[in-house]
Amino acid sequence: MWFGPGGVFKVALFVDLHYGEDAWTDWGPAQDAASDRVMAAVLDAENPDLVVYLGDLVTANNLPVPNASL
């Protein structure tokens, strides 16, 4: 493991970002850009040793394909 001074191992966790949701309106792309800004700020401020993305990174709510999220 890559432990820093004092035995610290810092993890940044980003969950359920839902990129692409409501993409045909102004709201969806604005939310994607806001997510980008928040993640960049966290990564710059915290300089984590490991970054983990969990949950629904890309939305599947409006896909016309049955069971597209499975």
Side-chain angles (χ1 to χ4, degrees), residues 6 12 20-21 27-30 32-33 38-40 45-50 52-53 60-61:
E21 189 166 284
W27 179 85
D32 292 350
V38 168
M39 287 187 292
E46 298 297 332
N47 193 25
D49 300 300
L50 176 68
V52 178
Y53 293 92
N61 294 347

Side-chain angles (χ1 to χ4, degrees), residues 37-63:
R37 286 191 302 275
V38 168
M39 287 187 292
V42 168
L43 296 174
D44 287 344
E46 298 297 332
N47 193 25
D49 300 300
L50 176 68
V51 178
V52 178
Y53 293 92
L54 292 175
D56 303 323
L57 183 58
V58 177
T59 195
N61 294 347
N62 300 304
L63 292 176

Side-chain angles (χ1 to χ4, degrees), residues 3 5-6 15-18 22-23 32-33 41-42 45 47 57 62 68 70:
F3 292 96
V15 180
D16 290 337
L17 298 172
H18 287 271
D22 218 0
D32 292 350
V42 168
N47 193 25
L57 183 58
N62 300 304
L70 295 177

Side-chain angles (χ1 to χ4, degrees), residues 1-13:
M1 283 292 183
W2 305 276
F3 292 96
V8 174
F9 184 80
K10 196 178 292 189
V11 177
L13 178 65

Side-chain angles (χ1 to χ4, degrees), residues 19-30:
Y19 275 95
E21 189 166 284
D22 218 0
W24 52 90
T25 69
D26 291 339
W27 179 85

